[in-house]
PDB file of all heavy atoms in Angstrom:
ATOM      1  N   THR A1179     -12.129   3.906   1.070  1.00 97.00           N
ATOM      2  CA  THR A1179     -11.513   3.324  -0.121  1.00 97.00           C
ATOM      3  C   THR A1179     -10.113   3.929  -0.388  1.00 97.00           C
ATOM      4  O   THR A1179      -9.922   5.165  -0.123  1.00 97.00           O
ATOM      5  CB  THR A1179     -12.324   3.551  -1.344  1.00 97.00           C
ATOM      6  OG1 THR A1179     -13.633   3.005  -1.132  1.00 97.00           O
ATOM      7  CG2 THR A1179     -11.789   2.891  -2.541  1.00 97.00           C
ATOM      8  N   VAL A1180      -9.224   3.061  -0.699  1.00 98.00           N
ATOM      9  CA  VAL A1180      -7.922   3.503  -1.104  1.00 98.00           C
ATOM     10  C   VAL A1180      -7.722   3.146  -2.588  1.00 98.00           C
ATOM     11  O   VAL A1180      -8.293   2.104  -3.018  1.00 98.00           O
ATOM     12  CB  VAL A1180      -6.728   2.939  -0.282  1.00 98.00           C
ATOM     13  CG1 VAL A1180      -6.671   1.421  -0.386  1.00 98.00           C
ATOM     14  CG2 VAL A1180      -5.385   3.481  -0.642  1.00 98.00           C
ATOM     15  N   TYR A1181      -7.081   4.004  -3.385  1.00 98.00           N
ATOM     16  CA  TYR A1181      -6.924   3.798  -4.837  1.00 98.00           C
ATOM     17  C   TYR A1181      -5.453   3.771  -5.225  1.00 98.00           C
ATOM     18  O   TYR A1181      -4.578   4.250  -4.522  1.00 98.00           O
ATOM     19  CB  TYR A1181      -7.536   5.046  -5.566  1.00 98.00           C
ATOM     20  CG  TYR A1181      -8.954   5.328  -5.200  1.00 98.00           C
ATOM     21  CD1 TYR A1181      -9.334   6.201  -4.149  1.00 98.00           C
ATOM     22  CD2 TYR A1181     -10.045   4.583  -5.773  1.00 98.00           C
ATOM     23  CE1 TYR A1181     -10.573   6.460  -3.811  1.00 98.00           C
ATOM     24  CE2 TYR A1181     -11.382   4.796  -5.488  1.00 98.00           C
ATOM     25  CZ  TYR A1181     -11.590   5.806  -4.462  1.00 98.00           C
ATOM     26  OH  TYR A1181     -12.927   6.048  -4.161  1.00 98.00           O
ATOM     27  N   LEU A1182      -5.216   3.104  -6.347  1.00 98.00           N
ATOM     28  CA  LEU A1182      -3.906   3.088  -6.950  1.00 98.00           C
ATOM     29  C   LEU A1182      -4.101   3.436  -8.454  1.00 98.00           C
ATOM     30  O   LEU A1182      -4.635   2.605  -9.230  1.00 98.00           O
ATOM     31  CB  LEU A1182      -3.233   1.764  -6.764  1.00 98.00           C
ATOM     32  CG  LEU A1182      -1.804   1.756  -7.312  1.00 98.00           C
ATOM     33  CD1 LEU A1182      -0.891   2.657  -6.441  1.00 98.00           C
ATOM     34  CD2 LEU A1182      -1.217   0.319  -7.325  1.00 98.00           C
ATOM     35  N   GLN A1183      -3.792   4.638  -8.809  1.00 98.00           N
ATOM     36  CA  GLN A1183      -3.846   5.005 -10.234  1.00 98.00           C
ATOM     37  C   GLN A1183      -2.517   4.614 -10.904  1.00 98.00           C
ATOM     38  O   GLN A1183      -1.455   5.106 -10.427  1.00 98.00           O
ATOM     39  CB  GLN A1183      -4.070   6.572 -10.344  1.00 98.00           C
ATOM     40  CG  GLN A1183      -4.066   7.028 -11.776  1.00 98.00           C
ATOM     41  CD  GLN A1183      -5.180   6.550 -12.611  1.00 98.00           C
ATOM     42  OE1 GLN A1183      -6.370   6.493 -12.140  1.00 98.00           O
ATOM     43  NE2 GLN A1183      -4.906   6.151 -13.829  1.00 98.00           N
ATOM     44  N   MET A1184      -2.607   3.839 -11.940  1.00 98.00           N
ATOM     45  CA  MET A1184      -1.422   3.330 -12.622  1.00 98.00           C
ATOM     46  C   MET A1184      -1.400   3.844 -14.075  1.00 98.00           C
ATOM     47  O   MET A1184      -2.323   3.530 -14.783  1.00 98.00           O
ATOM     48  CB  MET A1184      -1.448   1.832 -12.621  1.00 98.00           C
ATOM     49  CG  MET A1184      -1.519   1.250 -11.178  1.00 98.00           C
ATOM     50  SD  MET A1184      -1.283  -0.548 -11.116  1.00 98.00           S
ATOM     51  CE  MET A1184      -2.789  -1.039 -11.979  1.00 98.00           C
ATOM     52  N   ASN A1185      -0.417   4.580 -14.365  1.00 98.00           N
ATOM     53  CA  ASN A1185      -0.177   5.072 -15.775  1.00 98.00           C
ATOM     54  C   ASN A1185       1.046   4.604 -16.380  1.00 98.00           C
ATOM     55  O   ASN A1185       1.931   4.025 -15.682  1.00 98.00           O
ATOM     56  CB  ASN A1185      -0.179   6.617 -15.727  1.00 98.00           C
ATOM     57  CG  ASN A1185      -1.401   7.264 -15.174  1.00 98.00           C
ATOM     58  OD1 ASN A1185      -2.524   6.737 -15.388  1.00 98.00           O
ATOM     59  ND2 ASN A1185      -1.279   8.400 -14.482  1.00 98.00           N
ATOM     60  N   SER A1186       1.105   4.701 -17.708  1.00 98.00           N
ATOM     61  CA  SER A1186       2.333   4.217 -18.452  1.00 98.00           C
ATOM     62  C   SER A1186       2.695   2.838 -18.062  1.00 98.00           C
ATOM     63  O   SER A1186       3.850   2.571 -17.760  1.00 98.00           O
ATOM     64  CB  SER A1186       3.492   5.166 -18.185  1.00 98.00           C
ATOM     65  OG  SER A1186       3.198   6.516 -18.564  1.00 98.00           O
ATOM     66  N   LEU A1187       1.756   1.934 -18.064  1.00 98.00           N
ATOM     67  CA  LEU A1187       1.931   0.570 -17.637  1.00 98.00           C
ATOM     68  C   LEU A1187       2.866  -0.149 -18.508  1.00 98.00           C
ATOM     69  O   LEU A1187       2.957   0.047 -19.710  1.00 98.00           O
ATOM     70  CB  LEU A1187       0.596  -0.170 -17.468  1.00 98.00           C
ATOM     71  CG  LEU A1187      -0.251   0.174 -16.245  1.00 98.00           C
ATOM     72  CD1 LEU A1187      -1.680  -0.156 -16.435  1.00 98.00           C
ATOM     73  CD2 LEU A1187       0.360  -0.486 -15.050  1.00 98.00           C
ATOM     74  N   LYS A1188       3.645  -0.992 -17.918  1.00 98.00           N
ATOM     75  CA  LYS A1188       4.703  -1.838 -18.600  1.00 98.00           C
ATOM     76  C   LYS A1188       4.390  -3.327 -18.280  1.00 98.00           C
ATOM     77  O   LYS A1188       3.785  -3.700 -17.339  1.00 98.00           O
ATOM     78  CB  LYS A1188       6.054  -1.542 -18.041  1.00 98.00           C
ATOM     79  CG  LYS A1188       6.469  -0.060 -18.085  1.00 98.00           C
ATOM     80  CD  LYS A1188       7.739   0.183 -17.352  1.00 98.00           C
ATOM     81  CE  LYS A1188       8.215   1.674 -17.338  1.00 98.00           C
ATOM     82  NZ  LYS A1188       9.473   1.857 -16.678  1.00 98.00           N
ATOM     83  N   PRO A1189       4.883  -4.163 -19.163  1.00 97.00           N
ATOM     84  CA  PRO A1189       4.651  -5.598 -18.977  1.00 97.00           C
ATOM     85  C   PRO A1189       5.182  -6.108 -17.671  1.00 97.00           C
ATOM     86  O   PRO A1189       4.589  -7.004 -17.036  1.00 97.00           O
ATOM     87  CB  PRO A1189       5.400  -6.294 -20.135  1.00 97.00           C
ATOM     88  CG  PRO A1189       5.362  -5.240 -21.239  1.00 97.00           C
ATOM     89  CD  PRO A1189       5.440  -3.958 -20.557  1.00 97.00           C
ATOM     90  N   GLU A1190       6.229  -5.492 -17.182  1.00 97.00           N
ATOM     91  CA  GLU A1190       6.801  -5.880 -15.831  1.00 97.00           C
ATOM     92  C   GLU A1190       5.920  -5.441 -14.673  1.00 97.00           C
ATOM     93  O   GLU A1190       6.190  -5.838 -13.521  1.00 97.00           O
ATOM     94  CB  GLU A1190       8.219  -5.345 -15.655  1.00 97.00           C
ATOM     95  CG  GLU A1190       8.358  -3.856 -15.918  1.00 97.00           C
ATOM     96  CD  GLU A1190       8.891  -3.569 -17.324  1.00 97.00           C
ATOM     97  OE1 GLU A1190       8.429  -4.251 -18.269  1.00 97.00           O
ATOM     98  OE2 GLU A1190       9.772  -2.663 -17.382  1.00 97.00           O
ATOM     99  N   ASP A1191       4.837  -4.715 -14.887  1.00 98.00           N
ATOM    100  CA  ASP A1191       3.900  -4.358 -13.869  1.00 98.00           C
ATOM    101  C   ASP A1191       2.869  -5.504 -13.685  1.00 98.00           C
ATOM    102  O   ASP A1191       2.079  -5.443 -12.772  1.00 98.00           O
ATOM    103  CB  ASP A1191       3.185  -3.045 -14.182  1.00 98.00           C
ATOM    104  CG  ASP A1191       4.061  -1.897 -14.211  1.00 98.00           C
ATOM    105  OD1 ASP A1191       4.955  -1.762 -13.318  1.00 98.00           O
ATOM    106  OD2 ASP A1191       3.911  -0.984 -15.088  1.00 98.00           O
ATOM    107  N   THR A1192       2.887  -6.471 -14.551  1.00 98.00           N
ATOM    108  CA  THR A1192       1.965  -7.597 -14.435  1.00 98.00           C
ATOM    109  C   THR A1192       2.209  -8.302 -13.142  1.00 98.00           C
ATOM    110  O   THR A1192       3.300  -8.730 -12.754  1.00 98.00           O
ATOM    111  CB  THR A1192       2.206  -8.576 -15.578  1.00 98.00           C
ATOM    112  OG1 THR A1192       1.852  -7.941 -16.841  1.00 98.00           O
ATOM    113  CG2 THR A1192       1.320  -9.862 -15.416  1.00 98.00           C
ATOM    114  N   ALA A1193       1.052  -8.487 -12.396  1.00 98.00           N
ATOM    115  CA  ALA A1193       1.140  -9.052 -10.964  1.00 98.00           C
ATOM    116  C   ALA A1193      -0.241  -9.130 -10.452  1.00 98.00           C
ATOM    117  O   ALA A1193      -1.169  -8.543 -10.921  1.00 98.00           O
ATOM    118  CB  ALA A1193       2.124  -8.278 -10.109  1.00 98.00           C
ATOM    119  N   VAL A1194      -0.367  -9.872  -9.296  1.00 98.00           N
ATOM    120  CA  VAL A1194      -1.551  -9.709  -8.502  1.00 98.00           C
ATOM    121  C   VAL A1194      -1.255  -8.553  -7.513  1.00 98.00           C
ATOM    122  O   VAL A1194      -0.164  -8.560  -6.806  1.00 98.00           O
ATOM    123  CB  VAL A1194      -1.813 -10.971  -7.705  1.00 98.00           C
ATOM    124  CG1 VAL A1194      -3.002 -10.793  -6.796  1.00 98.00           C
ATOM    125  CG2 VAL A1194      -2.115 -12.127  -8.663  1.00 98.00           C
ATOM    126  N   TYR A1195      -2.123  -7.629  -7.441  1.00 98.00           N
ATOM    127  CA  TYR A1195      -1.979  -6.473  -6.571  1.00 98.00           C
ATOM    128  C   TYR A1195      -2.831  -6.638  -5.318  1.00 98.00           C
ATOM    129  O   TYR A1195      -4.036  -6.909  -5.385  1.00 98.00           O
ATOM    130  CB  TYR A1195      -2.395  -5.201  -7.347  1.00 98.00           C
ATOM    131  CG  TYR A1195      -1.329  -4.753  -8.342  1.00 98.00           C
ATOM    132  CD1 TYR A1195      -1.071  -5.512  -9.513  1.00 98.00           C
ATOM    133  CD2 TYR A1195      -0.526  -3.674  -8.014  1.00 98.00           C
ATOM    134  CE1 TYR A1195      -0.057  -5.070 -10.380  1.00 98.00           C
ATOM    135  CE2 TYR A1195       0.485  -3.237  -8.939  1.00 98.00           C
ATOM    136  CZ  TYR A1195       0.706  -3.962 -10.090  1.00 98.00           C
ATOM    137  OH  TYR A1195       1.693  -3.580 -10.948  1.00 98.00           O
ATOM    138  N   TYR A1196      -2.182  -6.360  -4.175  1.00 98.00           N
ATOM    139  CA  TYR A1196      -2.849  -6.527  -2.888  1.00 98.00           C
ATOM    140  C   TYR A1196      -2.804  -5.196  -2.127  1.00 98.00           C
ATOM    141  O   TYR A1196      -1.860  -4.446  -2.172  1.00 98.00           O
ATOM    142  CB  TYR A1196      -2.122  -7.520  -2.025  1.00 98.00           C
ATOM    143  CG  TYR A1196      -2.015  -8.925  -2.586  1.00 98.00           C
ATOM    144  CD1 TYR A1196      -0.965  -9.280  -3.406  1.00 98.00           C
ATOM    145  CD2 TYR A1196      -2.925  -9.862  -2.213  1.00 98.00           C
ATOM    146  CE1 TYR A1196      -0.922 -10.574  -3.879  1.00 98.00           C
ATOM    147  CE2 TYR A1196      -2.840 -11.122  -2.734  1.00 98.00           C
ATOM    148  CZ  TYR A1196      -1.805 -11.526  -3.549  1.00 98.00           C
ATOM    149  OH  TYR A1196      -1.722 -12.767  -4.062  1.00 98.00           O
ATOM    150  N   CYS A1197      -3.930  -4.871  -1.477  1.00 98.00           N
ATOM    151  CA  CYS A1197      -3.884  -3.783  -0.527  1.00 98.00           C
ATOM    152  C   CYS A1197      -3.778  -4.329   0.891  1.00 98.00           C
ATOM    153  O   CYS A1197      -4.154  -5.411   1.163  1.00 98.00           O
ATOM    154  CB  CYS A1197      -5.142  -2.880  -0.669  1.00 98.00           C
ATOM    155  SG  CYS A1197      -6.698  -3.572  -0.186  1.00 98.00           S
ATOM    156  N   ALA A1198      -3.260  -3.492   1.758  1.00 98.00           N
ATOM    157  CA  ALA A1198      -2.974  -3.897   3.110  1.00 98.00           C
ATOM    158  C   ALA A1198      -3.247  -2.697   4.044  1.00 98.00           C
ATOM    159  O   ALA A1198      -3.137  -1.532   3.610  1.00 98.00           O
ATOM    160  CB  ALA A1198      -1.580  -4.359   3.289  1.00 98.00           C
ATOM    161  N   ALA A1199      -3.654  -2.982   5.340  1.00 97.00           N
ATOM    162  CA  ALA A1199      -3.923  -2.012   6.286  1.00 97.00           C
ATOM    163  C   ALA A1199      -3.168  -2.242   7.588  1.00 97.00           C
ATOM    164  O   ALA A1199      -2.951  -3.396   8.011  1.00 97.00           O
ATOM    165  CB  ALA A1199      -5.462  -2.018   6.577  1.00 97.00           C
ATOM    166  N   ASP A1200      -2.800  -1.095   8.194  1.00 97.00           N
ATOM    167  CA  ASP A1200      -2.143  -1.176   9.556  1.00 97.00           C
ATOM    168  C   ASP A1200      -2.574   0.022  10.331  1.00 97.00           C
ATOM    169  O   ASP A1200      -2.518   1.151   9.970  1.00 97.00           O
ATOM    170  CB  ASP A1200      -0.592  -1.098   9.312  1.00 97.00           C
ATOM    171  CG  ASP A1200       0.147  -1.022  10.601  1.00 97.00           C
ATOM    172  OD1 ASP A1200      -0.132  -1.894  11.469  1.00 97.00           O
ATOM    173  OD2 ASP A1200       1.037  -0.145  10.753  1.00 97.00           O
ATOM    174  N   GLN A1201      -3.056  -0.316  11.582  1.00 95.00           N
ATOM    175  CA  GLN A1201      -3.610   0.714  12.449  1.00 95.00           C
ATOM    176  C   GLN A1201      -2.486   1.575  12.996  1.00 95.00           C
ATOM    177  O   GLN A1201      -1.437   1.098  13.438  1.00 95.00           O
ATOM    178  CB  GLN A1201      -4.393   0.100  13.590  1.00 95.00           C
ATOM    179  CG  GLN A1201      -5.157   1.101  14.406  1.00 95.00           C
ATOM    180  CD  GLN A1201      -6.188   0.445  15.241  1.00 95.00           C
ATOM    181  OE1 GLN A1201      -6.353  -0.780  15.356  1.00 95.00           O
ATOM    182  NE2 GLN A1201      -6.985   1.261  15.993  1.00 95.00           N
ATOM    183  N   GLU A1202      -2.787   2.927  13.016  1.00 94.00           N
ATOM    184  CA  GLU A1202      -1.758   3.900  13.486  1.00 94.00           C
ATOM    185  C   GLU A1202      -2.442   4.824  14.522  1.00 94.00           C
ATOM    186  O   GLU A1202      -3.662   5.047  14.490  1.00 94.00           O
ATOM    187  CB  GLU A1202      -1.260   4.680  12.340  1.00 94.00           C
ATOM    188  CG  GLU A1202      -0.140   3.996  11.547  1.00 94.00           C
ATOM    189  CD  GLU A1202       1.148   4.046  12.320  1.00 94.00           C
ATOM    190  OE1 GLU A1202       1.862   5.133  12.224  1.00 94.00           O
ATOM    191  OE2 GLU A1202       1.557   3.022  12.950  1.00 94.00           O
ATOM    192  N   PRO A1203      -1.683   5.514  15.397  1.00 93.00           N
ATOM    193  CA  PRO A1203      -2.216   6.501  16.338  1.00 93.00           C
ATOM    194  C   PRO A1203      -2.818   7.664  15.568  1.00 93.00           C
ATOM    195  O   PRO A1203      -2.557   7.877  14.402  1.00 93.00           O
ATOM    196  CB  PRO A1203      -0.924   6.972  17.042  1.00 93.00           C
ATOM    197  CG  PRO A1203       0.000   5.829  16.951  1.00 93.00           C
ATOM    198  CD  PRO A1203      -0.187   5.251  15.540  1.00 93.00           C
ATOM    199  N   VAL A1204      -3.615   8.439  16.305  1.00 89.00           N
ATOM    200  CA  VAL A1204      -4.434   9.474  15.730  1.00 89.00           C
ATOM    201  C   VAL A1204      -3.697  10.468  14.876  1.00 89.00           C
ATOM    202  O   VAL A1204      -4.192  10.753  13.735  1.00 89.00           O
ATOM    203  CB  VAL A1204      -5.236  10.193  16.844  1.00 89.00           C
ATOM    204  CG1 VAL A1204      -6.004  11.394  16.263  1.00 89.00           C
ATOM    205  CG2 VAL A1204      -6.194   9.312  17.540  1.00 89.00           C
ATOM    206  N   PHE A1205      -2.620  10.985  15.282  1.00 90.00           N
ATOM    207  CA  PHE A1205      -1.886  12.045  14.532  1.00 90.00           C
ATOM    208  C   PHE A1205      -0.779  11.579  13.759  1.00 90.00           C
ATOM    209  O   PHE A1205       0.048  12.305  13.267  1.00 90.00           O
ATOM    210  CB  PHE A1205      -1.480  13.132  15.537  1.00 90.00           C
ATOM    211  CG  PHE A1205      -2.609  13.801  16.212  1.00 90.00           C
ATOM    212  CD1 PHE A1205      -2.829  13.565  17.631  1.00 90.00           C
ATOM    213  CD2 PHE A1205      -3.496  14.652  15.597  1.00 90.00           C
ATOM    214  CE1 PHE A1205      -3.887  14.211  18.263  1.00 90.00           C
ATOM    215  CE2 PHE A1205      -4.579  15.207  16.245  1.00 90.00           C
ATOM    216  CZ  PHE A1205      -4.727  14.983  17.546  1.00 90.00           C
ATOM    217  N   SER A1206      -0.694  10.260  13.525  1.00 93.00           N
ATOM    218  CA  SER A1206       0.383   9.715  12.789  1.00 93.00           C
ATOM    219  C   SER A1206       0.364  10.089  11.342  1.00 93.00           C
ATOM    220  O   SER A1206      -0.654  10.066  10.702  1.00 93.00           O
ATOM    221  CB  SER A1206       0.420   8.219  12.928  1.00 93.00           C
ATOM    222  OG  SER A1206       1.391   7.628  12.057  1.00 93.00           O
ATOM    223  N   THR A1207       1.575  10.420  10.798  1.00 95.00           N
ATOM    224  CA  THR A1207       1.750  10.680   9.389  1.00 95.00           C
ATOM    225  C   THR A1207       2.655   9.561   8.726  1.00 95.00           C
ATOM    226  O   THR A1207       3.106   9.714   7.660  1.00 95.00           O
ATOM    227  CB  THR A1207       2.268  11.983   9.099  1.00 95.00           C
ATOM    228  OG1 THR A1207       3.584  12.144   9.690  1.00 95.00           O
ATOM    229  CG2 THR A1207       1.405  13.117   9.654  1.00 95.00           C
ATOM    230  N   ARG A1208       2.948   8.507   9.459  1.00 97.00           N
ATOM    231  CA  ARG A1208       3.845   7.559   9.046  1.00 97.00           C
ATOM    232  C   ARG A1208       3.350   6.637   7.993  1.00 97.00           C
ATOM    233  O   ARG A1208       2.184   6.362   7.856  1.00 97.00           O
ATOM    234  CB  ARG A1208       4.333   6.645  10.272  1.00 97.00           C
ATOM    235  CG  ARG A1208       4.984   7.427  11.383  1.00 97.00           C
ATOM    236  CD  ARG A1208       5.527   6.470  12.418  1.00 97.00           C
ATOM    237  NE  ARG A1208       4.536   5.631  12.980  1.00 97.00           N
ATOM    238  CZ  ARG A1208       4.820   4.732  13.966  1.00 97.00           C
ATOM    239  NH1 ARG A1208       6.042   4.628  14.382  1.00 97.00           N
ATOM    240  NH2 ARG A1208       3.894   3.915  14.420  1.00 97.00           N
ATOM    241  N   VAL A1209       4.296   6.252   7.080  1.00 98.00           N
ATOM    242  CA  VAL A1209       4.035   5.292   6.083  1.00 98.00           C
ATOM    243  C   VAL A1209       5.071   4.238   6.216  1.00 98.00           C
ATOM    244  O   VAL A1209       6.155   4.383   6.828  1.00 98.00           O
ATOM    245  CB  VAL A1209       4.016   5.853   4.656  1.00 98.00           C
ATOM    246  CG1 VAL A1209       2.836   6.788   4.454  1.00 98.00           C
ATOM    247  CG2 VAL A1209       5.293   6.634   4.409  1.00 98.00           C
ATOM    248  N   THR A1210       4.871   3.021   5.641  1.00 98.00           N
ATOM    249  CA  THR A1210       5.832   1.983   5.675  1.00 98.00           C
ATOM    250  C   THR A1210       5.832   1.132   4.399  1.00 98.00           C
ATOM    251  O   THR A1210       4.722   0.924   3.833  1.00 98.00           O
ATOM    252  CB  THR A1210       5.663   1.071   6.901  1.00 98.00           C
ATOM    253  OG1 THR A1210       6.628   0.026   6.907  1.00 98.00           O
ATOM    254  CG2 THR A1210       4.262   0.495   6.939  1.00 98.00           C
ATOM    255  N   ARG A1211       6.948   0.649   4.038  1.00 98.00           N
ATOM    256  CA  ARG A1211       7.080  -0.295   2.933  1.00 98.00           C
ATOM    257  C   ARG A1211       7.291  -1.706   3.369  1.00 98.00           C
ATOM    258  O   ARG A1211       7.447  -2.569   2.537  1.00 98.00           O
ATOM    259  CB  ARG A1211       8.287   0.142   1.995  1.00 98.00           C
ATOM    260  CG  ARG A1211       9.647  -0.002   2.688  1.00 98.00           C
ATOM    261  CD  ARG A1211      10.761   0.270   1.690  1.00 98.00           C
ATOM    262  NE  ARG A1211      10.848   1.589   1.195  1.00 98.00           N
ATOM    263  CZ  ARG A1211      10.751   1.970   0.006  1.00 98.00           C
ATOM    264  NH1 ARG A1211      10.597   1.064  -0.956  1.00 98.00           N
ATOM    265  NH2 ARG A1211      10.821   3.264  -0.406  1.00 98.00           N
ATOM    266  N   VAL A1212       7.317  -1.863   4.674  1.00 97.00           N
ATOM    267  CA  VAL A1212       7.598  -3.185   5.257  1.00 97.00           C
ATOM    268  C   VAL A1212       6.316  -4.070   5.248  1.00 97.00           C
ATOM    269  O   VAL A1212       5.345  -3.744   5.941  1.00 97.00           O
ATOM    270  CB  VAL A1212       8.209  -3.053   6.654  1.00 97.00           C
ATOM    271  CG1 VAL A1212       8.526  -4.452   7.212  1.00 97.00           C
ATOM    272  CG2 VAL A1212       9.539  -2.255   6.604  1.00 97.00           C
ATOM    273  N   LEU A1213       6.413  -5.172   4.607  1.00 97.00           N
ATOM    274  CA  LEU A1213       5.253  -6.048   4.473  1.00 97.00           C
ATOM    275  C   LEU A1213       4.710  -6.541   5.821  1.00 97.00           C
ATOM    276  O   LEU A1213       3.515  -6.548   6.083  1.00 97.00           O
ATOM    277  CB  LEU A1213       5.676  -7.261   3.581  1.00 97.00           C
ATOM    278  CG  LEU A1213       4.597  -8.191   3.104  1.00 97.00           C
ATOM    279  CD1 LEU A1213       5.028  -8.821   1.770  1.00 97.00           C
ATOM    280  CD2 LEU A1213       4.406  -9.332   4.129  1.00 97.00           C
ATOM    281  N   SER A1214       5.648  -6.847   6.778  1.00 98.00           N
ATOM    282  CA  SER A1214       5.224  -7.393   7.997  1.00 98.00           C
ATOM    283  C   SER A1214       4.602  -6.343   8.955  1.00 98.00           C
ATOM    284  O   SER A1214       4.070  -6.754   9.991  1.00 98.00           O
ATOM    285  CB  SER A1214       6.454  -8.089   8.741  1.00 98.00           C
ATOM    286  OG  SER A1214       7.508  -7.116   8.872  1.00 98.00           O
ATOM    287  N   ASP A1215       4.757  -5.069   8.560  1.00 98.00           N
ATOM    288  CA  ASP A1215       4.016  -4.048   9.392  1.00 98.00           C
ATOM    289  C   ASP A1215       2.544  -4.049   9.186  1.00 98.00           C
ATOM    290  O   ASP A1215       1.828  -3.489  10.051  1.00 98.00           O
ATOM    291  CB  ASP A1215       4.618  -2.635   9.001  1.00 98.00           C
ATOM    292  CG  ASP A1215       5.976  -2.381   9.585  1.00 98.00           C
ATOM    293  OD1 ASP A1215       6.370  -3.094  10.477  1.00 98.00           O
ATOM    294  OD2 ASP A1215       6.684  -1.464   9.114  1.00 98.00           O
ATOM    295  N   TYR A1216       2.068  -4.653   8.177  1.00 98.00           N
ATOM    296  CA  TYR A1216       0.597  -4.609   7.904  1.00 98.00           C
ATOM    297  C   TYR A1216      -0.102  -5.790   8.491  1.00 98.00           C
ATOM    298  O   TYR A1216       0.363  -6.980   8.327  1.00 98.00           O
ATOM    299  CB  TYR A1216       0.369  -4.544   6.368  1.00 98.00           C
ATOM    300  CG  TYR A1216       0.897  -3.223   5.779  1.00 98.00           C
ATOM    301  CD1 TYR A1216       2.199  -3.092   5.347  1.00 98.00           C
ATOM    302  CD2 TYR A1216      -0.010  -2.196   5.602  1.00 98.00           C
ATOM    303  CE1 TYR A1216       2.608  -1.947   4.728  1.00 98.00           C
ATOM    304  CE2 TYR A1216       0.394  -0.980   5.082  1.00 98.00           C
ATOM    305  CZ  TYR A1216       1.683  -0.863   4.679  1.00 98.00           C
ATOM    306  OH  TYR A1216       2.157   0.339   4.103  1.00 98.00           O
ATOM    307  N   ASP A1217      -1.227  -5.599   9.091  1.00 96.00           N
ATOM    308  CA  ASP A1217      -1.982  -6.601   9.808  1.00 96.00           C
ATOM    309  C   ASP A1217      -3.092  -7.227   8.998  1.00 96.00           C
ATOM    310  O   ASP A1217      -3.522  -8.358   9.287  1.00 96.00           O
ATOM    311  CB  ASP A1217      -2.562  -6.026  11.129  1.00 96.00           C
ATOM    312  CG  ASP A1217      -1.496  -5.621  12.099  1.00 96.00           C
ATOM    313  OD1 ASP A1217      -0.501  -6.305  12.215  1.00 96.00           O
ATOM    314  OD2 ASP A1217      -1.749  -4.571  12.751  1.00 96.00           O
ATOM    315  N   TYR A1218      -3.603  -6.487   8.016  1.00 97.00           N
ATOM    316  CA  TYR A1218      -4.709  -6.924   7.246  1.00 97.00           C
ATOM    317  C   TYR A1218      -4.464  -6.858   5.755  1.00 97.00           C
ATOM    318  O   TYR A1218      -3.863  -5.929   5.338  1.00 97.00           O
ATOM    319  CB  TYR A1218      -5.979  -6.122   7.527  1.00 97.00           C
ATOM    320  CG  TYR A1218      -6.320  -6.148   9.067  1.00 97.00           C
ATOM    321  CD1 TYR A1218      -5.976  -5.107   9.897  1.00 97.00           C
ATOM    322  CD2 TYR A1218      -7.002  -7.196   9.596  1.00 97.00           C
ATOM    323  CE1 TYR A1218      -6.228  -5.008  11.205  1.00 97.00           C
ATOM    324  CE2 TYR A1218      -7.297  -7.201  10.973  1.00 97.00           C
ATOM    325  CZ  TYR A1218      -6.920  -6.142  11.754  1.00 97.00           C
ATOM    326  OH  TYR A1218      -7.189  -6.161  13.123  1.00 97.00           O
TER     327      TYR A1218
END
């Protein structure tokens, strides 16, 4: 499971929230903000 704790919420946070997954090599510490990098 992955979580998103959201505090001090604002009206502009209103949206549909999606989670996404992308497979990485064993020792990877990489993260990405690029939507097209995610496969699922």
Side-chain angles (χ1 to χ4, degrees):
T1179 303
V1180 62
Y1181 304 95
L1182 185 67
Q1183 176 66 42
M1184 304 186 294
N1185 299 327
S1186 302
L1187 282 161
K1188 306 174 181 180
E1190 51 263 43
D1191 294 319
T1192 295
V1194 177
Y1195 283 71
Y1196 299 89
C1197 68
D1200 176 49
Q1201 190 166 1
E1202 278 284 281
V1204 173
F1205 299 109
S1206 171
T1207 61
R1208 297 189 304 181
V1209 291
T1210 179
R1211 65 173 68 239
V1212 178
L1213 189 148
S1214 59
D1215 284 343
Y1216 291 89
D1217 294 322
Y1218 303 99

